[in-house]
Amino acid sequence: MRIDVLTLFPEMFEGFKTTSIIKRAIGKGVVEFNAVNIRDYTLDKYNRTDTPPIGGGAGLIQKCQPIVDCLKAVDQGHAHKVLLSPRGRTYTEEDAIRFSKLDQLILVCGHFEGVDERVNDYVDELVSIGDYILTGGEIPSMAIADSVIRLLDGAITKESLTDESFTNEALEYPQYTEPYDYNGAKVPAILYSGNHQAIAKWRRKQSLLLTQKYRPDLFAKIILSKQDKKLLEEGDNPKWEIEAIEKGKKFKKEN
């Protein structure tokens, strides 16, 4: 896959490209990532890419010509072109999955007070990462690129993508590491039981409860199975959970 970010500040992406999972994905050839300088395509004799808005108003507006020419130069003929814009639909994991199946994704970063309205005619969709104001589209484009790259085959192990928050419309279940007891806060004994079926049920239950508590908007969208409904209705410490917990306690005593 190829991802091109059209920006006035390509230097902002140096750290992004050379760190952690993104760096490995690029090194392995999983993705080609390019930060393209819009300024390289301006025809303005002073090398400007912005101008005061026609009709008056505060700030500067990015000119249409540099962005459009940059888009045309970068598009390999099958690119999906996205403008980061407050008008856009809020970005979700479903969008990340959709974008990860593309051959080429182009992300256009707005800046200053916005972009010439006519740029909208040259992109396929508008996307926003939330209802707040940033100085430009660079940080949103990094967030989108990161969420897409990690889904590509070979970027990370497939096991790491299983049971993550938002993949099943629910938040992820609680995760723990050693030590068992840290300042009085203990790892749930059921996780030491060795009963994988009981652990899976416990994790699903915790996932649903956490989503219900912290993200009721997401919980409302979940189509609950009969098993899900039973888990939520049974309350704390059902028989299957108690039995698994006792096995976990026994394991901790023996080890």
Side-chain angles (χ1 to χ4, degrees):
M1 181 185 187
R2 172 172 167 166
I3 298 177
D4 296 282
V5 178
L6 277 51
T7 172
L8 293 175
F9 303 97
E11 63 275 10
M12 289 182 65
F13 295 86
E14 289 306 310
F16 177 79
K17 295 189 297 182
T18 57
T19 305
S20 188
I21 291 171
I22 307 302
K23 178 181 178 180
R24 293 199 299 270
I26 293 172
K28 292 166 64 176
V30 171
V31 65
E32 177 185 347
F33 183 90
N34 305 296
V36 185
N37 195 338
I38 296 171
R39 198 175 300 278
D40 291 341
Y41 293 87
T42 183
L43 300 178
D44 185 274
K45 63 180 180 179
Y46 298 110
N47 206 36
R48 294 189 61 177
T49 61
D50 55 78
T51 186
I54 295 175
L60 299 170
I61 305 298
Q62 283 187 255
K63 297 167 71 174
C64 184
Q65 174 272 315
I67 295 176
V68 173
D69 283 359
C70 188
L71 273 170
K72 291 179 178 179
V74 171
D75 187 356
Q76 295 187 322
H78 49 259
H80 186 74
K81 299 173 284 294
V82 175
L83 174 64
L84 283 304
S85 168
R87 293 186 197 174
R89 192 168 47 82
T90 302
Y91 187 71
T92 67
E93 182 66 14
E94 286 72 23
D95 294 314
I97 294 170
R98 176 166 59 89
F99 288 170
S100 71
K101 297 175 182 178
L102 300 170
D103 292 324
Q104 183 184 12
L105 173 65
I106 299 177
L107 302 172
V108 183
C109 300
H111 216 80
F112 306 119
E113 286 298 317
V115 300
D116 188 304
E117 181 70 18
R118 293 165 291 185
V119 171
N120 294 336
D121 297 332
Y122 294 87
V123 298
D124 297 302
E125 65 177 302
L126 309 181
V127 169
S128 168
I129 64 166
D131 295 337
Y132 45 87
I133 299 172
L134 297 172
T135 56
E138 283 74 21
I139 291 175
S141 69
M142 290 182 198
I144 292 173
D146 185 285
S147 68
V148 171
I149 291 172
R150 65 188 305 279
L151 294 174
L152 301 177
D153 287 343
I156 60 177
T157 62
K158 291 184 178 180
E159 290 78 9
S160 296
L161 298 175
T162 304
D163 293 330
E164 291 188 310
S165 293
F166 309 116
T167 54
N168 295 307
E169 295 186 327
L171 299 179
E172 188 177 7
Y173 49 78
Q175 298 275 27
Y176 297 88
T177 61
E178 297 294 345
Y180 165 67
D181 188 330
Y182 181 74
N183 291 340
K186 299 176 181 179
V187 177
I190 191 172
L191 297 177
Y192 291 103
S193 68
N195 185 332
H196 298 296
Q197 183 177 6
I199 291 173
K201 287 175 66 176
W202 180 86
R203 284 176 166 170
R204 177 59 177 172
K205 181 177 180 179
Q206 297 305 312
S207 174
L208 291 170
L209 290 173
L210 287 173
T211 307
Q212 189 176 43
K213 179 179 180 179
Y214 291 104
R215 291 294 304 273
D217 56 321
L218 288 179
F219 185 80
K221 298 177 183 178
I222 299 174
I223 300 176
L224 299 173
S225 66
K226 290 182 179 179
Q227 175 73 1
D228 289 338
K229 293 177 182 177
K230 185 176 180 181
L231 289 172
L232 292 172
E233 292 170 356
E234 65 189 9
D236 297 330
N237 302 319
K239 183 179 179 180
W240 64 268
E241 192 170 330
I242 293 173
E243 291 176 350
I245 288 173
E246 290 304 315
K247 288 182 180 179
K249 288 179 178 178
K250 183 179 179 182
F251 174 85
K252 285 304 299 176
K253 288 180 180 179
E254 294 175 350
N255 295 274

mmCIF file of all heavy atoms in Angstrom, residues 200-240:
data_model
loop_
_atom_site.group_PDB
_atom_site.id
_atom_site.type_symbol
_atom_site.label_atom_id
_atom_site.label_comp_id
_atom_site.label_asym_id
_atom_site.label_seq_id
_atom_site.Cartn_x
_atom_site.Cartn_y
_atom_site.Cartn_z
ATOM 1 N N ALA A 200 -12.334 -16.653 28.754
ATOM 2 C CA ALA A 200 -12.942 -15.984 27.602
ATOM 3 C C ALA A 200 -14.293 -15.379 27.978
ATOM 4 O O ALA A 200 -14.616 -14.256 27.570
ATOM 5 C CB ALA A 200 -13.094 -16.969 26.449
ATOM 6 N N LYS A 201 -15.093 -16.115 28.757
ATOM 7 C CA LYS A 201 -16.394 -15.603 29.196
ATOM 8 C C LYS A 201 -16.210 -14.388 30.106
ATOM 9 O O LYS A 201 -16.919 -13.383 29.980
ATOM 10 C CB LYS A 201 -17.169 -16.695 29.932
ATOM 11 C CG LYS A 201 -17.705 -17.790 29.022
ATOM 12 C CD LYS A 201 -18.357 -18.912 29.815
ATOM 13 C CE LYS A 201 -19.599 -18.468 30.535
ATOM 14 N NZ LYS A 201 -20.268 -19.610 31.227
ATOM 15 N N TRP A 202 -15.245 -14.499 31.026
ATOM 16 C CA TRP A 202 -14.973 -13.389 31.940
ATOM 17 C C TRP A 202 -14.536 -12.153 31.171
ATOM 18 O O TRP A 202 -14.991 -11.034 31.438
ATOM 19 C CB TRP A 202 -13.893 -13.803 32.943
ATOM 20 C CG TRP A 202 -13.531 -12.729 33.922
ATOM 21 C CD1 TRP A 202 -14.154 -12.448 35.104
ATOM 22 C CD2 TRP A 202 -12.475 -11.758 33.797
ATOM 23 N NE1 TRP A 202 -13.554 -11.375 35.726
ATOM 24 C CE2 TRP A 202 -12.516 -10.932 34.942
ATOM 25 C CE3 TRP A 202 -11.504 -11.520 32.828
ATOM 26 C CZ2 TRP A 202 -11.612 -9.891 35.146
ATOM 27 C CZ3 TRP A 202 -10.604 -10.480 33.025
ATOM 28 C CH2 TRP A 202 -10.662 -9.673 34.165
ATOM 29 N N ARG A 203 -13.669 -12.337 30.198
ATOM 30 C CA ARG A 203 -13.186 -11.203 29.407
ATOM 31 C C ARG A 203 -14.313 -10.566 28.607
ATOM 32 O O ARG A 203 -14.399 -9.331 28.503
ATOM 33 C CB ARG A 203 -12.056 -11.660 28.483
ATOM 34 C CG ARG A 203 -10.742 -11.862 29.214
ATOM 35 C CD ARG A 203 -9.660 -12.413 28.319
ATOM 36 N NE ARG A 203 -8.339 -12.292 28.937
ATOM 37 C CZ ARG A 203 -7.233 -12.860 28.467
ATOM 38 N NH1 ARG A 203 -7.297 -13.605 27.351
ATOM 39 N NH2 ARG A 203 -6.079 -12.699 29.083
ATOM 40 N N ARG A 204 -15.167 -11.386 28.024
ATOM 41 C CA ARG A 204 -16.295 -10.836 27.271
ATOM 42 C C ARG A 204 -17.224 -10.046 28.193
ATOM 43 O O ARG A 204 -17.670 -8.948 27.840
ATOM 44 C CB ARG A 204 -17.070 -11.968 26.590
ATOM 45 C CG ARG A 204 -18.325 -11.519 25.829
ATOM 46 C CD ARG A 204 -18.000 -10.516 24.747
ATOM 47 N NE ARG A 204 -19.185 -10.138 23.983
ATOM 48 C CZ ARG A 204 -19.220 -9.164 23.087
ATOM 49 N NH1 ARG A 204 -18.131 -8.441 22.841
ATOM 50 N NH2 ARG A 204 -20.332 -8.884 22.436
ATOM 51 N N LYS A 205 -17.458 -10.582 29.368
ATOM 52 C CA LYS A 205 -18.321 -9.907 30.327
ATOM 53 C C LYS A 205 -17.729 -8.572 30.737
ATOM 54 O O LYS A 205 -18.433 -7.546 30.762
ATOM 55 C CB LYS A 205 -18.519 -10.792 31.556
ATOM 56 C CG LYS A 205 -19.437 -10.204 32.626
ATOM 57 C CD LYS A 205 -19.618 -11.180 33.766
ATOM 58 C CE LYS A 205 -20.518 -10.613 34.842
ATOM 59 N NZ LYS A 205 -20.709 -11.578 35.958
ATOM 60 N N GLN A 206 -16.435 -8.560 31.032
ATOM 61 C CA GLN A 206 -15.773 -7.315 31.433
ATOM 62 C C GLN A 206 -15.776 -6.302 30.282
ATOM 63 O O GLN A 206 -15.936 -5.104 30.499
ATOM 64 C CB GLN A 206 -14.339 -7.602 31.877
ATOM 65 C CG GLN A 206 -14.227 -8.484 33.105
ATOM 66 C CD GLN A 206 -15.007 -7.940 34.284
ATOM 67 O OE1 GLN A 206 -14.901 -6.759 34.623
ATOM 68 N NE2 GLN A 206 -15.804 -8.795 34.900
ATOM 69 N N SER A 207 -15.599 -6.791 29.076
ATOM 70 C CA SER A 207 -15.628 -5.925 27.910
ATOM 71 C C SER A 207 -16.981 -5.226 27.790
ATOM 72 O O SER A 207 -17.054 -4.007 27.567
ATOM 73 C CB SER A 207 -15.340 -6.744 26.646
ATOM 74 O OG SER A 207 -15.488 -5.955 25.486
ATOM 75 N N LEU A 208 -18.042 -5.987 27.960
ATOM 76 C CA LEU A 208 -19.385 -5.419 27.871
ATOM 77 C C LEU A 208 -19.652 -4.434 29.004
ATOM 78 O O LEU A 208 -20.219 -3.355 28.785
ATOM 79 C CB LEU A 208 -20.422 -6.540 27.907
ATOM 80 C CG LEU A 208 -20.461 -7.460 26.686
ATOM 81 C CD1 LEU A 208 -21.361 -8.659 26.955
ATOM 82 C CD2 LEU A 208 -20.934 -6.711 25.449
ATOM 83 N N LEU A 209 -19.236 -4.787 30.222
ATOM 84 C CA LEU A 209 -19.464 -3.922 31.374
ATOM 85 C C LEU A 209 -18.687 -2.604 31.245
ATOM 86 O O LEU A 209 -19.207 -1.530 31.565
ATOM 87 C CB LEU A 209 -19.069 -4.644 32.660
ATOM 88 C CG LEU A 209 -19.973 -5.800 33.077
ATOM 89 C CD1 LEU A 209 -19.375 -6.543 34.272
ATOM 90 C CD2 LEU A 209 -21.382 -5.302 33.426
ATOM 91 N N LEU A 210 -17.447 -2.685 30.774
ATOM 92 C CA LEU A 210 -16.643 -1.479 30.598
ATOM 93 C C LEU A 210 -17.244 -0.573 29.524
ATOM 94 O O LEU A 210 -17.268 0.654 29.673
ATOM 95 C CB LEU A 210 -15.209 -1.851 30.220
ATOM 96 C CG LEU A 210 -14.341 -2.444 31.336
ATOM 97 C CD1 LEU A 210 -13.013 -2.933 30.772
ATOM 98 C CD2 LEU A 210 -14.108 -1.420 32.439
ATOM 99 N N THR A 211 -17.716 -1.185 28.442
ATOM 100 C CA THR A 211 -18.330 -0.401 27.373
ATOM 101 C C THR A 211 -19.609 0.259 27.854
ATOM 102 O O THR A 211 -19.872 1.427 27.556
ATOM 103 C CB THR A 211 -18.633 -1.295 26.149
ATOM 104 O OG1 THR A 211 -17.448 -1.989 25.768
ATOM 105 C CG2 THR A 211 -19.120 -0.462 24.983
ATOM 106 N N GLN A 212 -20.402 -0.494 28.610
ATOM 107 C CA GLN A 212 -21.646 0.039 29.157
ATOM 108 C C GLN A 212 -21.373 1.221 30.096
ATOM 109 O O GLN A 212 -22.110 2.214 30.094
ATOM 110 C CB GLN A 212 -22.390 -1.070 29.914
ATOM 111 C CG GLN A 212 -23.789 -0.717 30.351
ATOM 112 C CD GLN A 212 -24.483 -1.893 31.005
ATOM 113 O OE1 GLN A 212 -23.884 -2.607 31.816
ATOM 114 N NE2 GLN A 212 -25.731 -2.121 30.653
ATOM 115 N N LYS A 213 -20.289 1.126 30.861
ATOM 116 C CA LYS A 213 -19.960 2.167 31.830
ATOM 117 C C LYS A 213 -19.334 3.399 31.185
ATOM 118 O O LYS A 213 -19.746 4.532 31.464
ATOM 119 C CB LYS A 213 -19.000 1.597 32.884
ATOM 120 C CG LYS A 213 -18.568 2.612 33.931
ATOM 121 C CD LYS A 213 -17.633 1.975 34.952
ATOM 122 C CE LYS A 213 -17.200 3.015 36.001
ATOM 123 N NZ LYS A 213 -16.292 2.410 37.027
ATOM 124 N N TYR A 214 -18.324 3.171 30.327
ATOM 125 C CA TYR A 214 -17.543 4.286 29.803
ATOM 126 C C TYR A 214 -18.008 4.802 28.448
ATOM 127 O O TYR A 214 -17.776 5.961 28.118
ATOM 128 C CB TYR A 214 -16.064 3.881 29.701
ATOM 129 C CG TYR A 214 -15.404 3.697 31.046
ATOM 130 C CD1 TYR A 214 -15.163 2.428 31.546
ATOM 131 C CD2 TYR A 214 -15.031 4.794 31.813
ATOM 132 C CE1 TYR A 214 -14.560 2.247 32.782
ATOM 133 C CE2 TYR A 214 -14.425 4.626 33.051
ATOM 134 C CZ TYR A 214 -14.194 3.349 33.538
ATOM 135 O OH TYR A 214 -13.597 3.180 34.757
ATOM 136 N N ARG A 215 -18.598 3.934 27.633
ATOM 137 C CA ARG A 215 -19.037 4.350 26.299
ATOM 138 C C ARG A 215 -20.448 3.838 26.020
ATOM 139 O O ARG A 215 -20.661 2.955 25.190
ATOM 140 C CB ARG A 215 -18.057 3.835 25.243
ATOM 141 C CG ARG A 215 -16.684 4.484 25.266
ATOM 142 C CD ARG A 215 -16.746 5.974 24.898
ATOM 143 N NE ARG A 215 -17.364 6.193 23.611
ATOM 144 C CZ ARG A 215 -16.719 6.169 22.444
ATOM 145 N NH1 ARG A 215 -15.411 5.940 22.426
ATOM 146 N NH2 ARG A 215 -17.355 6.391 21.322
ATOM 147 N N PRO A 216 -21.440 4.387 26.734
ATOM 148 C CA PRO A 216 -22.826 3.933 26.497
ATOM 149 C C PRO A 216 -23.279 4.112 25.057
ATOM 150 O O PRO A 216 -24.150 3.387 24.584
ATOM 151 C CB PRO A 216 -23.646 4.793 27.469
ATOM 152 C CG PRO A 216 -22.762 5.949 27.808
ATOM 153 C CD PRO A 216 -21.366 5.435 27.751
ATOM 154 N N ASP A 217 -22.657 5.084 24.345
ATOM 155 C CA ASP A 217 -23.008 5.287 22.940
ATOM 156 C C ASP A 217 -22.604 4.077 22.105
ATOM 157 O O ASP A 217 -23.326 3.662 21.183
ATOM 158 C CB ASP A 217 -22.347 6.547 22.404
ATOM 159 C CG ASP A 217 -20.828 6.539 22.579
ATOM 160 O OD1 ASP A 217 -20.333 6.078 23.620
ATOM 161 O OD2 ASP A 217 -20.120 6.987 21.652
ATOM 162 N N LEU A 218 -21.434 3.495 22.412
ATOM 163 C CA LEU A 218 -20.999 2.288 21.711
ATOM 164 C C LEU A 218 -21.833 1.087 22.141
ATOM 165 O O LEU A 218 -22.204 0.240 21.321
ATOM 166 C CB LEU A 218 -19.523 1.993 22.001
ATOM 167 C CG LEU A 218 -18.477 2.907 21.368
ATOM 168 C CD1 LEU A 218 -17.084 2.470 21.801
ATOM 169 C CD2 LEU A 218 -18.581 2.879 19.848
ATOM 170 N N PHE A 219 -22.111 1.005 23.438
ATOM 171 C CA PHE A 219 -22.866 -0.134 23.964
ATOM 172 C C PHE A 219 -24.240 -0.224 23.309
ATOM 173 O O PHE A 219 -24.736 -1.324 23.022
ATOM 174 C CB PHE A 219 -23.015 -0.007 25.481
ATOM 175 C CG PHE A 219 -23.672 -1.190 26.124
ATOM 176 C CD1 PHE A 219 -22.950 -2.349 26.383
ATOM 177 C CD2 PHE A 219 -25.020 -1.158 26.456
ATOM 178 C CE1 PHE A 219 -23.559 -3.449 26.964
ATOM 179 C CE2 PHE A 219 -25.637 -2.255 27.036
ATOM 180 C CZ PHE A 219 -24.901 -3.409 27.289
ATOM 181 N N ALA A 220 -24.840 0.922 23.042
ATOM 182 C CA ALA A 220 -26.171 0.946 22.435
ATOM 183 C C ALA A 220 -26.175 0.350 21.033
ATOM 184 O O ALA A 220 -27.217 -0.092 20.539
ATOM 185 C CB ALA A 220 -26.700 2.376 22.401
ATOM 186 N N LYS A 221 -25.009 0.312 20.384
ATOM 187 C CA LYS A 221 -24.918 -0.204 19.025
ATOM 188 C C LYS A 221 -24.634 -1.714 18.979
ATOM 189 O O LYS A 221 -24.734 -2.324 17.914
ATOM 190 C CB LYS A 221 -23.810 0.531 18.263
ATOM 191 C CG LYS A 221 -24.045 2.017 18.115
ATOM 192 C CD LYS A 221 -22.867 2.679 17.414
ATOM 193 C CE LYS A 221 -23.029 4.180 17.309
ATOM 194 N NZ LYS A 221 -21.856 4.822 16.659
ATOM 195 N N ILE A 222 -24.251 -2.285 20.109
ATOM 196 C CA ILE A 222 -23.874 -3.698 20.133
ATOM 197 C C ILE A 222 -25.118 -4.576 20.022
ATOM 198 O O ILE A 222 -26.110 -4.380 20.734
ATOM 199 C CB ILE A 222 -23.120 -4.051 21.425
ATOM 200 C CG1 ILE A 222 -21.832 -3.237 21.536
ATOM 201 C CG2 ILE A 222 -22.803 -5.545 21.482
ATOM 202 C CD1 ILE A 222 -21.097 -3.419 22.845
ATOM 203 N N ILE A 223 -25.075 -5.538 19.121
ATOM 204 C CA ILE A 223 -26.151 -6.528 19.019
ATOM 205 C C ILE A 223 -25.781 -7.664 19.968
ATOM 206 O O ILE A 223 -24.900 -8.482 19.682
ATOM 207 C CB ILE A 223 -26.298 -7.041 17.582
ATOM 208 C CG1 ILE A 223 -26.624 -5.868 16.649
ATOM 209 C CG2 ILE A 223 -27.393 -8.108 17.498
ATOM 210 C CD1 ILE A 223 -26.704 -6.264 15.183
ATOM 211 N N LEU A 224 -26.433 -7.700 21.116
ATOM 212 C CA LEU A 224 -26.090 -8.668 22.158
ATOM 213 C C LEU A 224 -26.598 -10.063 21.810
ATOM 214 O O LEU A 224 -27.758 -10.244 21.438
ATOM 215 C CB LEU A 224 -26.686 -8.233 23.498
ATOM 216 C CG LEU A 224 -26.208 -6.885 24.058
ATOM 217 C CD1 LEU A 224 -27.014 -6.520 25.293
ATOM 218 C CD2 LEU A 224 -24.734 -6.942 24.383
ATOM 219 N N SER A 225 -25.712 -11.033 21.935
ATOM 220 C CA SER A 225 -26.116 -12.426 21.745
ATOM 221 C C SER A 225 -26.815 -12.928 23.007
ATOM 222 O O SER A 225 -26.818 -12.238 24.044
ATOM 223 C CB SER A 225 -24.881 -13.289 21.481
ATOM 224 O OG SER A 225 -24.037 -13.322 22.632
ATOM 225 N N LYS A 226 -27.392 -14.108 22.951
ATOM 226 C CA LYS A 226 -28.029 -14.689 24.136
ATOM 227 C C LYS A 226 -27.009 -14.853 25.256
ATOM 228 O O LYS A 226 -27.308 -14.624 26.431
ATOM 229 C CB LYS A 226 -28.655 -16.039 23.784
ATOM 230 C CG LYS A 226 -29.880 -15.947 22.886
ATOM 231 C CD LYS A 226 -30.475 -17.327 22.635
ATOM 232 C CE LYS A 226 -31.715 -17.227 21.764
ATOM 233 N NZ LYS A 226 -32.317 -18.571 21.488
ATOM 234 N N GLN A 227 -25.785 -15.264 24.865
ATOM 235 C CA GLN A 227 -24.720 -15.422 25.846
ATOM 236 C C GLN A 227 -24.357 -14.084 26.480
ATOM 237 O O GLN A 227 -24.145 -13.998 27.695
ATOM 238 C CB GLN A 227 -23.488 -16.038 25.176
ATOM 239 C CG GLN A 227 -22.261 -16.147 26.072
ATOM 240 C CD GLN A 227 -22.399 -17.246 27.110
ATOM 241 O OE1 GLN A 227 -23.405 -17.938 27.159
ATOM 242 N NE2 GLN A 227 -21.382 -17.399 27.930
ATOM 243 N N ASP A 228 -24.306 -13.020 25.674
ATOM 244 C CA ASP A 228 -23.995 -11.688 26.199
ATOM 245 C C ASP A 228 -25.053 -11.254 27.215
ATOM 246 O O ASP A 228 -24.719 -10.742 28.301
ATOM 247 C CB ASP A 228 -23.945 -10.661 25.068
ATOM 248 C CG ASP A 228 -22.738 -10.834 24.164
ATOM 249 O OD1 ASP A 228 -21.749 -11.440 24.601
ATOM 250 O OD2 ASP A 228 -22.802 -10.359 23.009
ATOM 251 N N LYS A 229 -26.292 -11.433 26.860
ATOM 252 C CA LYS A 229 -27.385 -11.036 27.752
ATOM 253 C C LYS A 229 -27.324 -11.810 29.066
ATOM 254 O O LYS A 229 -27.544 -11.252 30.146
ATOM 255 C CB LYS A 229 -28.734 -11.260 27.065
ATOM 256 C CG LYS A 229 -28.971 -10.345 25.869
ATOM 257 C CD LYS A 229 -30.295 -10.656 25.188
ATOM 258 C CE LYS A 229 -30.513 -9.760 23.963
ATOM 259 N NZ LYS A 229 -31.769 -10.095 23.251
ATOM 260 N N LYS A 230 -27.005 -13.087 28.968
ATOM 261 C CA LYS A 230 -26.902 -13.918 30.170
ATOM 262 C C LYS A 230 -25.769 -13.440 31.061
ATOM 263 O O LYS A 230 -25.906 -13.374 32.290
ATOM 264 C CB LYS A 230 -26.689 -15.382 29.771
ATOM 265 C CG LYS A 230 -26.691 -16.349 30.943
ATOM 266 C CD LYS A 230 -26.567 -17.781 30.456
ATOM 267 C CE LYS A 230 -26.564 -18.740 31.639
ATOM 268 N NZ LYS A 230 -26.426 -20.143 31.187
ATOM 269 N N LEU A 231 -24.630 -13.097 30.443
ATOM 270 C CA LEU A 231 -23.488 -12.622 31.212
ATOM 271 C C LEU A 231 -23.825 -11.339 31.968
ATOM 272 O O LEU A 231 -23.425 -11.154 33.119
ATOM 273 C CB LEU A 231 -22.296 -12.379 30.283
ATOM 274 C CG LEU A 231 -21.606 -13.609 29.694
ATOM 275 C CD1 LEU A 231 -20.580 -13.189 28.658
ATOM 276 C CD2 LEU A 231 -20.943 -14.437 30.794
ATOM 277 N N LEU A 232 -24.579 -10.455 31.320
ATOM 278 C CA LEU A 232 -24.921 -9.190 31.950
ATOM 279 C C LEU A 232 -25.995 -9.341 33.016
ATOM 280 O O LEU A 232 -26.025 -8.572 33.991
ATOM 281 C CB LEU A 232 -25.399 -8.199 30.880
ATOM 282 C CG LEU A 232 -24.329 -7.716 29.893
ATOM 283 C CD1 LEU A 232 -24.972 -6.904 28.778
ATOM 284 C CD2 LEU A 232 -23.270 -6.887 30.603
ATOM 285 N N GLU A 233 -26.851 -10.325 32.851
ATOM 286 C CA GLU A 233 -27.953 -10.520 33.795
ATOM 287 C C GLU A 233 -27.551 -11.301 35.035
ATOM 288 O O GLU A 233 -28.200 -11.179 36.079
ATOM 289 C CB GLU A 233 -29.114 -11.247 33.090
ATOM 290 C CG GLU A 233 -29.803 -10.404 32.023
ATOM 291 C CD GLU A 233 -30.767 -11.234 31.179
ATOM 292 O OE1 GLU A 233 -30.831 -12.471 31.395
ATOM 293 O OE2 GLU A 233 -31.428 -10.648 30.297
ATOM 294 N N GLU A 234 -26.489 -12.087 34.946
ATOM 295 C CA GLU A 234 -26.152 -12.987 36.043
ATOM 296 C C GLU A 234 -25.518 -12.279 37.239
ATOM 297 O O GLU A 234 -25.400 -12.858 38.324
ATOM 298 C CB GLU A 234 -25.213 -14.089 35.552
ATOM 299 C CG GLU A 234 -23.853 -13.586 35.106
ATOM 300 C CD GLU A 234 -23.021 -14.654 34.428
ATOM 301 O OE1 GLU A 234 -23.567 -15.732 34.153
ATOM 302 O OE2 GLU A 234 -21.835 -14.418 34.181
ATOM 303 N N GLY A 235 -25.087 -11.034 37.077
ATOM 304 C CA GLY A 235 -24.509 -10.309 38.197
ATOM 305 C C GLY A 235 -23.108 -10.782 38.536
ATOM 306 O O GLY A 235 -22.432 -11.440 37.743
ATOM 307 N N ASP A 236 -22.652 -10.459 39.732
ATOM 308 C CA ASP A 236 -21.301 -10.801 40.160
ATOM 309 C C ASP A 236 -21.209 -12.234 40.672
ATOM 310 O O ASP A 236 -22.158 -12.774 41.242
ATOM 311 C CB ASP A 236 -20.839 -9.852 41.273
ATOM 312 C CG ASP A 236 -20.754 -8.418 40.807
ATOM 313 O OD1 ASP A 236 -20.494 -8.214 39.606
ATOM 314 O OD2 ASP A 236 -20.954 -7.506 41.631
ATOM 315 N N ASN A 237 -20.057 -12.835 40.446
ATOM 316 C CA ASN A 237 -19.699 -14.145 40.989
ATOM 317 C C ASN A 237 -20.691 -15.273 40.689
ATOM 318 O O ASN A 237 -21.175 -15.951 41.601
ATOM 319 C CB ASN A 237 -19.510 -14.044 42.517
ATOM 320 C CG ASN A 237 -18.456 -13.026 42.888
ATOM 321 O OD1 ASN A 237 -17.423 -12.934 42.245
ATOM 322 N ND2 ASN A 237 -18.725 -12.258 43.947
ATOM 323 N N PRO A 238 -21.018 -15.521 39.429
ATOM 324 C CA PRO A 238 -21.833 -16.695 39.093
ATOM 325 C C PRO A 238 -21.038 -17.971 39.366
ATOM 326 O O PRO A 238 -19.815 -17.933 39.564
ATOM 327 C CB PRO A 238 -22.099 -16.508 37.593
ATOM 328 C CG PRO A 238 -20.947 -15.690 37.122
ATOM 329 C CD PRO A 238 -20.624 -14.760 38.244
ATOM 330 N N LYS A 239 -21.717 -19.103 39.352
ATOM 331 C CA LYS A 239 -21.096 -20.373 39.728
ATOM 332 C C LYS A 239 -19.862 -20.687 38.893
ATOM 333 O O LYS A 239 -18.818 -21.082 39.423
ATOM 334 C CB LYS A 239 -22.118 -21.508 39.587
ATOM 335 C CG LYS A 239 -21.580 -22.864 40.025
ATOM 336 C CD LYS A 239 -22.645 -23.938 39.897
ATOM 337 C CE LYS A 239 -22.079 -25.303 40.313
ATOM 338 N NZ LYS A 239 -23.100 -26.381 40.193
ATOM 339 N N TRP A 240 -19.946 -20.534 37.568
ATOM 340 C CA TRP A 240 -18.810 -20.862 36.696
ATOM 341 C C TRP A 240 -17.596 -19.996 37.005
ATOM 342 O O TRP A 240 -16.460 -20.449 36.943
ATOM 343 C CB TRP A 240 -19.195 -20.703 35.225
ATOM 344 C CG TRP A 240 -19.532 -19.295 34.810
ATOM 345 C CD1 TRP A 240 -20.765 -18.709 34.794
ATOM 346 C CD2 TRP A 240 -18.617 -18.274 34.384
ATOM 347 N NE1 TRP A 240 -20.684 -17.399 34.373
ATOM 348 C CE2 TRP A 240 -19.378 -17.108 34.105
ATOM 349 C CE3 TRP A 240 -17.239 -18.223 34.184
ATOM 350 C CZ2 TRP A 240 -18.811 -15.920 33.674
ATOM 351 C CZ3 TRP A 240 -16.668 -17.041 33.735
ATOM 352 C CH2 TRP A 240 -17.434 -15.912 33.491
#
